[in-house]
Amino acid sequence: MRNIIVKIALTAIGLLSLIFAANAQDVKAYVRINTDQIEGTNKDIYNELSNDLTEFINSHRWTDATFEDEERIECNFVITLESVAGENYSGQLQIQANRPVFNSGYNTTLFNFLDKNLSFNYTQYQKLEFNENSYDNNLLSTIAFYVNIIVGLNFDSFSRYGGSRYYEKAELIVSLAQGSNDIGWKAFDSDRNRYALVSNLQDERLKKLRDIVYEYHRFGLDEMVNSVEKGRTNIYNNLPYLREMNRAVPYSVALQQFVESKMNELLDMFKEATMKERKEVYDILQSILPTQTNKFQELLN
């Protein structure tokens, strides 16, 4: 009888441990490795890397907040390899994250970004270890950087300036990477790299963008469950600030990223609006993303 009681107790402890572990997780990610451009490679190593990176993101504690499983921040990372030389890999990283809209089954795109400067070293069966206070692994630092950006945007979307702490964490990663020769971390190397992105998100000239992230989600999309018209009007009233910031900081990567992430959503949202509203939305979007003018043209049809 005593043995049965002990077994039951151990089982209960195990179940509680699993529950606490689940509650400790705040991000739900999936990492995929695209090797279409690489010939004659060992696919096992890429499956292993994909699984290890997914486990790294999902098991790491990124915030102090408590998340229910359905509240975890969903994101996807796709590494497209373009060249492999021994243990040296290079390619691109596509990052995409979603946010649920209040009382609906709809998920809005929170972040959608292509990092064209990914390079890293990896050995099969390598143990992936990450230290927030040092720069030891370019791949893990890059992944951690974007997770913190995503978490920051998520918190900004629920609470005004709620993501500041996570942008500071991302900034620390950039700072620690300055002594390396790895690409994507340095100022002036590119106006669309990691340095530029986190700098934009902390730039006082672009502070209104963080207000818009909050207003767009909390008083725009989340409000639509009660009144589509009220939610859309709240979003419409905030859009002119995007144009003002674009004039103050032309070609801002954070500003462009926001518009790129919301582009299809905005087009769908305003397709039934008045011509005056559609023309205004067209002018604003086109000024920030002139290369997408043809797509925005549907607002005027």
Side-chain angles (χ1 to χ4, degrees):
M1 177 63 114
R2 184 175 181 276
N3 289 337
I4 293 175
I5 293 173
V6 170
K7 288 180 180 179
I8 292 173
L10 290 175
T11 300
I13 291 171
L15 289 172
L16 286 172
S17 297
L18 287 174
I19 292 171
F20 288 134
N23 286 337
Q25 295 171 333
D26 34 33
V27 174
K28 182 187 292 184
Y30 178 68
V31 180
R32 184 168 69 88
I33 313 294
N34 183 339
T35 61
D36 291 348
Q37 300 180 46
I38 308 299
E39 296 182 1
T41 56
N42 177 7
K43 299 297 182 181
D44 289 342
I45 191 172
Y46 302 117
N47 291 332
E48 177 188 320
L49 178 58
S50 172
N51 292 335
D52 286 350
L53 289 174
T54 299
E55 176 64 19
F56 161 65
I57 299 172
N58 291 341
S59 63
H60 190 82
R61 187 78 164 116
W62 301 99
T63 78
D64 294 329
T66 300
F67 286 76
E68 298 296 331
D69 185 64
E70 66 273 11
E71 296 173 334
R72 291 166 65 192
I73 304 167
E74 296 186 4
C75 50
N76 293 289
F77 294 78
V78 179
I79 297 174
T80 300
L81 295 176
E82 297 172 339
S83 69
V84 176
E87 298 173 353
N88 300 314
Y89 301 79
S90 64
Q92 301 184 354
L93 173 63
Q94 180 75 49
I95 313 101
Q96 190 266 343
N98 296 325
R99 175 200 186 276
V101 173
F102 182 69
N103 272 355
S104 77
Y106 178 71
N107 286 329
T108 180
T109 301
L110 187 67
F111 186 70
N112 190 13
F113 188 72
L114 177 63
D115 186 325
K116 298 182 178 181
N117 298 306
L118 182 67
S119 63
F120 61 94
N121 298 326
Y122 178 72
T123 305
Q124 192 169 14
Y125 310 123
Q126 174 184 340
K127 185 177 180 180
L128 298 182
E129 296 180 323
F130 176 68
N131 185 337
E132 291 184 351
N133 298 308
S134 64
Y135 182 80
D136 306 310
N137 184 306
N138 183 48
L139 179 57
L140 292 189
S141 289
T142 300
I143 296 292
F145 170 85
Y146 284 113
V147 173
N148 277 297
I149 293 294
I150 289 167
V151 171
L153 286 168
N154 184 78
F155 275 76
D156 268 0
S157 77
F158 285 103
S159 173
R160 199 180 300 274
Y161 311 131
S164 297
R165 178 182 179 186
Y166 305 100
Y167 300 145
E168 290 169 2
K169 287 187 174 185
E171 183 182 40
L172 175 61
I173 295 172
V174 171
S175 178
L176 293 170
Q178 294 306 298
S180 76
N181 293 319
D182 295 318
I183 58 177
W185 300 108
K186 305 290 178 63
F188 311 117
D189 283 351
S190 167
D191 57 5
R192 286 187 64 86
N193 67 3
R194 292 157 226 149
Y195 180 97
L197 179 59
V198 75
S199 295
N200 278 188
L201 288 169
Q202 296 179 305
D203 191 328
E204 282 297 314
R205 297 171 298 173
L206 296 168
K207 190 173 183 179
K208 189 63 182 178
L209 177 59
R210 295 181 62 189
D211 283 302
I212 291 174
V213 169
Y214 175 67
E215 299 274 344
Y216 184 100
H217 293 94
R218 289 296 292 119
F219 301 111
L221 295 182
D222 288 348
E223 179 61 34
M224 286 186 176
V225 69
N226 298 316
S227 170
V228 172
E229 188 61 34
K230 184 177 179 180
R232 188 174 66 184
T233 298
N234 287 336
I235 289 174
Y236 178 77
N237 290 339
N238 274 281
L239 292 182
Y241 293 115
L242 296 176
R243 181 165 48 200
E244 291 180 14
M245 286 184 287
N246 188 52
R247 289 169 178 166
V249 187
Y251 309 112
S252 158
V253 60
L255 189 59
Q256 290 182 336
Q257 186 284 135
F258 176 80
V259 175
E260 287 169 350
S261 297
K262 300 302 184 183
M263 179 171 59
N264 291 330
E265 191 169 77
L266 286 167
L267 293 177
D268 186 60
M269 191 183 304
F270 286 96
K271 65 183 180 182
E272 302 298 333
T274 66
M275 177 54 74
K276 178 184 176 181
E277 289 175 327
R278 283 184 281 147
K279 179 66 166 60
E280 177 71 0
V281 174
Y282 169 86
D283 289 341
I284 293 168
L285 299 183
Q286 189 274 338
S287 68
I288 297 169
L289 292 178
T291 58
Q292 299 289 339
T293 298
N294 288 340
K295 188 172 183 65
F296 301 144
Q297 191 70 34
E298 66 184 72
L299 284 169
L300 305 181
N301 296 336

